[in-house]
Amino acid sequence: MIEPSTMPSNSYSLEEVMDNSYDSIFVTDAVGNILMANPTAERLLNLTITQMVGRNIRELVEQGHWDKSIALEAIEKRTTVTGMIKTRDGINLMCTSRPLFDSQGNITMVISNSRDRDTLVKLAQTLDKERELVQRYKEEVQYLREQGVKDRHLVAESTAMKNLLLEANWVGPTESSVLLYGESGTGKEILAKYIYSISRRAKEAFITVNCSAIPENLIEAELFGYEKGSFTGADAKGKPGLFELADRGTIFLDEIGEMPLVLQAKLLRVLENGEVRRLGGIHSRKVDFRLICATNRDLKKMVEHKTFREDLFYRINVVPLQLAPLRDRPEDIMAISDVLLKELNKKYGYDKVFSTETLKGFLNYSWPGNVRELRNLIERLAITTRGRVIDYQVEEMPYPPDNRAAGSHQEENGTLRIQVKAKAPLKKVMSQVEQEYIKNTLQDCQGCVSEAARILGIDRSAIYRKVQVVQLRDQD
């Protein structure tokens, strides 16, 4: 420290501040003579306080204790200066020197603060990670908001559903991958959410990905994310992928059978290594999520036909669960109908009930669209029925079990008849025939776009352009 005769009257408190500062602090006069220094400066500069106080900085620089002086630059430039200095021991210090002036504008002293550059770099990296974590949570919240997910209760009155829930209760608290099988509309996503809700990750994110709803040229960017400037139209700041958003949580890959083979290989690497790399990135990021998949396809047959990777199949098919179609569990038809109507009555202030004939009709109908079709029909009936009693005839059901694409008819010998308007332009007729044939092929493939594309010999993207696949799936 400085000599007692030159210390200010409140030297005791000043000495406490100096001695306990994490930064190196030393003070010089207007010509570079060192007036005081603290223990951190002693440690970083490898000089005792006695060796520093009373000496001029130029002398210490000439002796090679450090390569240059930021304090002397501040004196020369009469302003605050920040720069790097290197000590004799090879330590790089970030130093800031600030001159103080009297009322006549003369420099009275210069205060210099220094800190090890490596410490600053680590601090910056920590801050970057914190910012990235905050941004990830923001992206996650935004994603969940955009999904507009509504919680729905699982209804299990049938023996099949009760047994399924027993299995789900066993597997839920584990970390095992689950593969849900079932026709479109049987409630695979609701079951996935139930498994998530009883898992150890229930307080973390639940990310839903419909592998058939995202165009093939965008699905990789959605799943893996991308760095800024990775491709034309990309967000200027880059974007984390859904795998990153699911970190520490659960990701639900619906219609996994629609995932392109190229992405299947990348998904397998993520599952095996626990790392993802954004498009255009050079660094991998660790991710830890629980995987739940769902499909309405026979993945074993797809493996045989080389349209689904065998190694990925075994990786995701750890615990398979089968959801029975609604037509095979009539007890659930009645229970679900009751729950759905009660929800609508509460939402709209109704007091509506089903007639006995309507409920009998529900039991006799095959429900090709399963719970989704039942839900949509009940909502329509509740809204459009003017009286209190909902009376609906089975013959009026919107989608008969054996329906085909409008305008086409499949003959028993496998030929396809397509009706077209007479006296229409040839281009329009050819377009209509093409659309009807693609729709018919999709129906034969149970809505599997990848399989239909293979049969037709065209890209998946071409099918998305030519027909409204989403509407077809809603009618499956």
Side-chain angles (χ1 to χ4, degrees), residues 211-212 214-220 223 255-267 302 307-309 312 450 460 464:
C211 298
S212 68
I214 305 174
E216 187 174 353
N217 60 333
L218 295 179
I219 189 170
E220 183 174 4
L223 290 176
E255 301 197 49
I256 184 70
E258 301 295 335
M259 181 173 286
L261 280 169
V262 174
L263 274 185
Q264 290 179 28
K266 293 188 176 183
L267 171 60
M302 292 184 68
T307 56
F308 198 86
R309 290 183 64 102
L312 179 60
S450 297
R460 279 167 40 111
Y464 281 103

Side-chain angles (χ1 to χ4, degrees), residues 404-410 416-419 436-437 439-440:
R404 282 285 175 180
S408 63
H409 177 67
Q410 184 86 27
L416 179 68
R417 290 185 179 180
I418 299 175
Q419 298 178 359
E436 295 298 337
Y437 184 66
K439 288 179 182 179
N440 186 80

Side-chain angles (χ1 to χ4, degrees), residues 410-421:
Q410 184 86 27
E411 299 291 343
E412 289 184 2
N413 61 4
T415 61
L416 179 68
R417 290 185 179 180
I418 299 175
Q419 298 178 359
V420 297
K421 274 189 176 183

